[in-house]
């Protein structure tokens, strides 16, 4: 079995230290950071890292015993003959790094969320990966979480009837937090086609001349209507991160960011439509970060597509940016594909 040469661009929390912050938090299945997962896998070795901040670079390389250090990611990519590149920078530099890496022959990219900051950047990334046959996964990790996968399986199998409504309880920034939220909603519903998007945002200024927000706005509320009459509602519940999928014969809900799952079935014999609890099936608690990297390796070895590829990332971005555009148009329904492809929403 061969060992894959990995490079990391952006040596901060998600690259190598976030596991320290979440120790003891039952919602997180470790390893969480890219470096901790590469190290646990055994088939991957981080041979080089790049960061514009010398202190961050040194601390990362010391902790993860990385031999080669670079202040410029381009130099690293040119010299290191990497198989896999992790892009754990802020989203504002992601487009530049990912498209450069794709052009320079990197085989697989693990790209953090948000994938980038505008739809035209997202299209570039999709095109660059397609042209160079690069495998890419975006780090919206609930797609790789066995609990959320089990939840989707139950919905897809029709065990609780047809999904009609998803309620996503979450506060946070549009691109930073809701890149996860929107992707999870799509995943749970089986990636249906969106029909329209509505949103209200707050906390960021829009500059018309630049067609850009000055920072990542918070999402006040959002709604997405999908094909087949499926609706998603984004509710700004403080401190909560939960998803409830209401189906025609029952309801399934993930609690406290994945600490627990609850399911209830409609009691057929009850004319008042009450629901009774049923057990949520057990699942193996395997790290989503590890699963995401394994999916990349599988894609390299079998020349198959990844589960959270650049098109999935782009389609999720369309919904986030669509909410910002709806806000700019007074809450109007926005039909995808959105026209304003260069509307820029920065995110860290
Ligand atoms: N998937 C998840 O669960 C999850 C969790 C945390 C963070 N993230 C994502 O990971 C990304 C990084 O977040 P973080 O919290 O680790 O941030 P961070 O600030 O800790 O790390 C980012 C690093 O990128 C470096 N950097 C900036 N510009 C660069 C450039 N041009 N070249 C090389 N390095 C550059 C910075 O110096 C910094 O060290 C964000 O996009 C965030 O959304 C994802």
């Amino acid at each position: 079995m061969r060992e894959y040469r990995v490079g990391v661009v952006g040596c901060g929390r998600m690259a190598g230290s976030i596991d320290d912050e979440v120790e003891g938090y039952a919602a997180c299945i470790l390893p969480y950071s890219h470096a901790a997962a590469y190290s646990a896998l055994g088939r991957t070795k981080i041979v080089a890292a790049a960061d514009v901040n010398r202190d961050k670079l040194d601390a990362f390389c010391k902790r993860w015993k990385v031999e080669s250090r670079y202040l410029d990611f381009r130099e690293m990519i040119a010299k290191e003959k990497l198989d896999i590149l992790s892009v754990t920078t802020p989203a504002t530099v992601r487009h530049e790094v990912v498209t450069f890496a794709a052009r320079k022959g990197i085989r697989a990219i693990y790209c953090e969320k948000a994938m980038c900051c505008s739809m035209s950047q997202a299209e570039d990334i999709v095109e660059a990966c397609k042209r160079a046959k690069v495998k890419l996964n975006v780090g919206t990790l609930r797609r790789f979480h066995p609990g959320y996968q089990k939840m989707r399986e139950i919905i897809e199998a029709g065990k609780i009837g047809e999904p009609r409504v998803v309620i996503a309880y979450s506060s946070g920034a549009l691109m930073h937090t809701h890149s996860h939220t929107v992707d999870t909603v799509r995943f749970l519903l089986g990636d249906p086609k969106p029909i329209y998007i509505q949103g209200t945002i707050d906390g960021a200024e829009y500059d018309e001349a630049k067609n850009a927000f000055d920072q990542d706005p918070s999402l006040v509320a959002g709604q997405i209507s999908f094909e087949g009459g499926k609706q998603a509602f984004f509710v700004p519940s403080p401190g909560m991160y939960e998803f409830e999928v209401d189906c025609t014969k029952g309801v399934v809900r993930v609690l406290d960011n994945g600490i627990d799952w609850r399911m209830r079935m409609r009691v057929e014999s009850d004319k008042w439509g009450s629901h009774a609890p049923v057990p949520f099936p057990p699942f193996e608690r395997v790290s989503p970060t590890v699963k995401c990297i394994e999916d990349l390796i599988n894609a390299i070895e079998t020349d198959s597509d990844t589960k959270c590829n650049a098109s999935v990332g782009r389609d999720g971005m369309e919904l986030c940016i669509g909410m910002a555009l709806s806000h700019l148009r007074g809450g109007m329904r926005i039909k995808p594909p959105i026209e304003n492809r260069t509307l820029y929403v920065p995110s860290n």
Side-chain angles (χ1 to χ4, degrees):
M1 207 186 295
R2 64 158 298 194
E3 190 174 67
Y4 289 92
R5 290 173 63 80
V6 177
V8 173
V9 186
C11 299
R13 297 167 59 243
M14 193 54 191
S17 64
I18 200 165
D19 296 51
D20 306 342
E21 297 170 28
V22 297
E23 214 184 309
Y25 179 32
C28 285
I29 311 175
L30 302 183
Y32 187 1
S33 75
H34 291 222
Y38 286 125
S39 161
L41 259 162
R43 303 186 55 194
T44 44
K45 182 174 167 53
I46 305 178
V47 295
D51 199 301
V52 288
N53 179 319
R54 167 64 77 185
D55 293 340
K56 294 265 186 91
L57 179 64
D58 287 346
F60 178 86
C61 290
K62 188 169 175 229
R63 177 169 182 170
W64 297 103
K65 298 184 176 50
V66 180
E67 277 168 26
S68 305
R69 305 174 188 196
Y70 296 86
L71 290 168
D72 182 350
F73 71 85
R74 293 171 202 80
E75 194 187 339
M76 175 178 83
I77 291 169
K79 285 190 181 159
E80 292 289 341
K81 296 189 170 51
L82 302 169
D83 299 303
I84 303 175
L85 186 75
S86 268
V87 189
T88 40
T89 60
T92 44
V93 280
R94 200 112 57 219
H95 169 258
E96 188 188 353
V97 180
V98 171
T99 51
F100 180 87
R103 281 200 306 275
K104 297 294 173 185
I106 296 277
R107 302 171 75 192
I109 298 175
Y110 181 176
C111 161
E112 261 316 324
K113 44 53 65 175
M115 188 166 90
C116 49
C117 300
S118 71
M119 291 316 298
S120 56
Q121 287 189 345
E123 297 291 3
D124 269 2
I125 290 176
V126 170
E127 197 43 45
C129 290
K130 199 167 143 195
R131 205 178 310 122
K133 297 190 168 56
V134 176
K135 312 297 182 187
L136 181 142
N137 259 333
V138 183
T140 40
L141 284 175
R142 285 167 190 81
R143 250 174 221 270
F144 299 97
H145 188 297
Y148 290 86
Q149 287 174 340
K150 186 65 76 185
M151 194 172 168
R152 171 165 164 167
E153 247 172 68
I154 289 166
I155 298 163
E156 211 164 42
K159 290 187 181 158
I160 50 174
E162 284 292 314
R164 289 282 181 262
V165 168
V166 185
I167 309 163
Y169 301 90
S170 156
S171 56
L174 183 66
M175 303 296 275
H176 186 77
T177 304
H178 292 288
S179 48
H180 277 305
T181 319
V182 156
D183 187 65
T184 306
V185 163
R186 296 180 62 229
F187 177 63
L188 292 175
L189 289 177
D191 294 299
K193 192 169 160 240
I195 307 298
Y196 68 80
I197 310 153
Q198 281 180 291
T200 309
I201 55 172
D202 200 5
E205 291 297 322
Y206 172 67
D207 182 330
E208 199 171 346
K210 293 182 181 153
N211 192 27
F213 284 91
D214 62 345
Q215 58 183 320
D216 197 355
S218 58
L219 180 67
V220 177
Q223 182 189 350
I224 302 168
S225 181
F226 292 100
E227 67 183 351
K230 296 169 186 141
Q231 301 282 344
F233 298 93
F234 297 79
V235 179
S237 300
M240 203 190 251
Y241 202 82
E242 304 197 349
F243 297 85
E244 178 174 295
V245 185
D246 298 344
C247 304
T248 50
K249 291 183 187 168
V251 45
V252 59
R253 180 161 176 155
V254 48
L255 304 179
D256 293 325
N257 197 17
I259 291 182
D260 200 6
W261 271 262
R262 298 278 162 82
M263 204 156 90
R264 292 184 302 147
M265 291 283 288
R266 170 84 51 84
V267 180
E268 295 286 346
S269 57
D270 178 14
K271 68 174 180 178
W272 309 113
S274 65
H275 292 73
V278 288
F280 188 81
F283 57 86
E284 200 188 347
R285 287 179 62 82
V286 187
S287 154
T289 316
V290 166
K291 289 302 233 183
C292 176
I293 298 168
E294 281 178 344
D295 185 57
L296 270 180
I297 293 174
N298 177 60
I300 296 174
E301 293 181 348
T302 61
D303 193 22
S304 55
D305 213 351
T306 49
K307 288 197 170 80
C308 198
N309 60 37
S311 304
V312 175
R314 174 201 56 201
D315 294 349
M317 283 202 38
E318 184 113 40
L319 304 182
C320 286
I321 293 186
M323 289 192 210
L325 192 59
S326 164
H327 175 85
L328 289 177
R329 299 197 179 154
M332 215 174 109
R333 289 179 174 183
I334 303 296
K335 287 196 177 136
I338 63 176
E339 294 150 33
N340 190 343
R341 305 305 276 175
T342 54
L343 175 60
Y344 187 86
V345 191
S347 178
N348 57 11

